[in-house]
């Protein structure tokens, strides 16, 4: 596949043409790298599933260039969802909405709802705009990793995951390392109140403040297919143990102020919660690269983004 590091106008145009021709384009977003396909092309979408090794009933987020594209995909959009879109898009937030009749079943993994997001990354936004110029309506893109594995936050990570599954017509756009580092907040907007299906840096507190509405949370009875359906996710090969004692040769991840236990191998020492989120996936990957077999992670405390990090860590540790 072609890796494009010079993401100036002409090159992104070519990537948009590749999408239009049914090829896959991996691209940077502010959260993690996505593996993109034309959201209206059944074959291209089915390639995403085979490249990722993902179950076919597990739906994909459709990325759009702006709020004005919502109506191309969704219907009966509640006022509170529009308010969220106006406040947080472009940004790390995905809205689950009722799909309209134009939205194909293969675009939603057979669900009657659709997941939409406007990413906040100049390369992603330019790609979406160029794609629209050649008739595109949106880009379906899951995180660019094999199913259940750690999400990629840089092009070397994407290559580590997918190099041998992509072909020479596919494209990777290099936008450097992702700024946020964990996936978007997913909010189900098909009910009276918003419901968080996956936590992210758009926090429950921020949503409640903007809307003046009570936010609900996902429970296992929820029928929507979301990340929570699978206990193990975001998993490195190494075993992840939370808040446990570390022994020599164990990998160790904790906030900077927590000392490394004797003999353990420090993988990450973030000074802030934001830095923890930005680098957690790279640290889990580093453990595998170093052939470490056990990682002890001291979880970050508190509300907000710490909640989203703990959600990822819990799934990374569920094996
Ligand atoms: O930050 C992100 O959201 C990244 C970047 C690339 O945009 N994407 C991402 O995609 O994390 P993925 O496929 O790894 O996770 C998307 C989650 C999945 O757990 C999926 O089940 C859920 O969104 N989802 C997608 N469409 C849905 C739908 N129609 N109803 C319910 N959940 C849906
Ligand atoms: Mg994913």
């Amino acid at each position: 596949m072609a890796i494009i590091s010079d993401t100036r106008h002409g090159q992104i145009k070519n990537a948009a043409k590749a999408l239009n021709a049914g090829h896959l384009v991996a691209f940077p977003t502010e959260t993690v790298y996505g593996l993109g396909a034309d959201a209206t092309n059944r074959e291209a979408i089915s390639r995403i599933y085979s490249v990722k090794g993902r179950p076919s009933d597990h739906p994909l987020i459709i990325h759009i260039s702006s709020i004005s594209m919502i109506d191309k995909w969704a219907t009966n959009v509640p006022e509170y969802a529009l308010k969220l879109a106006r406040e947080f898009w472009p940004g790390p937030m995905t809205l689950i909405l009722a799909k309209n009749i134009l939205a194909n079943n293969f675009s939603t993994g057979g669900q009657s709802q659709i997941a939409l997001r406007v990413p906040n990354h100049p390369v992603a936004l330019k790609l979406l705009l160029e794609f629209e110029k050649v008739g595109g309506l949106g880009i379906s893109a899951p995180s660019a990793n094999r199913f259940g594995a750690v999400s990629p936050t840089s092009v070397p990570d994407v290559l580590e995951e997918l190099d041998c599954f992509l072909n020479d017509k596919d494209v990777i756009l290099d936008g450097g390392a992702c700024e946020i580092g964990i996936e978007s907040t997913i909010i189900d907007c098909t009910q009276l109140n918003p419901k968080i299906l996956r936590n992210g840096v758009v926090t429950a507190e921020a949503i409640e403040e903007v809307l003046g509405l009570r936010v609900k949370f996902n429970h296992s009875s929820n029928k929507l297919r979301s990340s929570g359906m699978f206990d193990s996710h975001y998993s490195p090969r190494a075993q992840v143990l939370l808040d446990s004692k570390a022994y020599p040769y164990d990998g160790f991840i904790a906030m900077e102020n927590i000392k490394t236990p004797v003999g353990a191998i420090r993988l990450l020492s973030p000074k802030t919660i934001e830095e923890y989120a930005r680098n957690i996936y790279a640290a889990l990957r580093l453990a595998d690269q170093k052939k470490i077999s056990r990682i002890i992670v001291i979880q970050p405390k508190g509300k907000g983004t710490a909640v989203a990090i703990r959600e990822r860590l819990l799934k990374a540790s569920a094996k």
Side-chain angles (χ1 to χ4, degrees), residues 31 54 59 61 63 113 115 117 142-143 184 186 198 225 227:
T31 58
R54 175 160 165 148
I61 297 171
H63 297 69
Q113 323 79 26
R117 170 161 118 84
S143 50
S184 61
I186 301 182
R198 180 174 71 186
R225 286 227 151 236
S227 312

Side-chain angles (χ1 to χ4, degrees), residues 55-314:
S56 62
D57 58 351
H58 204 62
L60 308 175
I61 297 171
I62 297 178
H63 297 69
I64 52 178
S65 65
S66 75
I67 195 168
S68 67
M69 297 294 284
I70 286 189
D71 294 335
K72 303 271 188 220
W73 295 101
T75 186
N76 295 329
V77 181
E79 184 50 40
Y80 75 77
L82 292 173
K83 216 168 175 180
L84 289 174
R86 284 193 292 264
E87 181 75 21
F88 295 111
W89 280 351
M93 177 187 75
T94 297
L95 300 181
I96 306 284
L97 301 163
K99 82 176 175 80
N100 69 18
I101 48 168
L102 300 173
N104 291 300
N105 265 337
F106 61 78
S107 306
T108 63
Q111 308 274 321
S112 54
Q113 323 79 26
I114 198 148
L116 297 177
R117 170 161 118 84
V118 180
N120 188 17
H121 190 291
V123 172
L125 286 169
K126 221 183 232 183
L127 178 67
L128 285 160
L129 286 172
E130 289 298 333
F131 186 49
E132 275 169 27
K133 283 190 197 160
V134 293
L137 289 180
I139 302 176
S140 294
S143 50
N145 52 279
R146 294 283 290 170
F147 182 66
V150 177
S151 299
T153 54
S154 72
V155 164
D157 297 354
V158 174
L159 290 171
E160 190 174 86
E161 289 288 327
L162 302 180
D163 199 8
C164 43
F165 301 97
L166 295 173
N167 68 37
D168 58 359
K169 297 277 175 48
D170 298 328
V171 175
I172 299 181
L173 291 174
D174 191 347
C178 299
E179 190 59 34
I180 290 175
I182 55 172
E183 303 81 355
S184 61
T185 307
I186 301 182
I187 309 167
D188 176 5
C189 301
T190 61
Q191 312 290 322
L192 272 180
N193 282 62
K195 179 152 93 182
I196 294 187
L197 303 184
R198 180 174 71 186
N199 287 288
V201 306
V202 172
T203 61
E205 298 84 48
I207 296 166
E208 288 186 341
E209 191 176 321
V210 165
L211 298 181
L213 279 178
R214 201 59 188 272
V215 170
K216 298 186 169 180
F217 291 90
N218 191 25
H219 298 295
S220 49
S221 60
N222 169 49
K223 289 197 189 65
L224 293 180
R225 286 227 151 236
S226 200
S227 312
M229 298 292 291
F230 295 89
D231 285 334
S232 168
H233 220 94
Y234 319 115
S235 295
R237 279 189 299 276
Q239 183 189 15
V240 175
L241 289 177
L242 303 180
D243 304 320
S244 310
K245 182 172 160 58
Y247 292 92
Y249 308 109
D250 282 341
F252 188 73
I253 293 174
M255 294 295 287
E256 191 201 32
N257 62 333
I258 301 173
K259 272 202 342 213
T260 311
V262 177
I265 304 157
R266 190 76 182 218
L267 298 167
L268 187 65
S269 318
K271 288 191 187 64
T272 62
I273 285 293
E274 289 70 31
E275 198 184 327
Y276 202 128
R278 189 177 310 129
N279 296 312
I280 182 63
Y281 287 149
L284 296 176
R285 249 171 224 290
L286 181 63
D288 284 349
Q289 286 154 7
K290 287 181 178 287
K291 308 250 181 323
I292 289 171
S293 55
R294 238 167 55 132
I295 313 168
I296 308 302
V297 184
I298 309 301
Q299 300 189 81
K301 299 196 172 37
K303 287 191 183 180
T305 299
V307 175
I309 296 172
R310 292 198 298 271
E311 187 178 279
R312 304 311 188 278
L313 291 172
L314 191 64

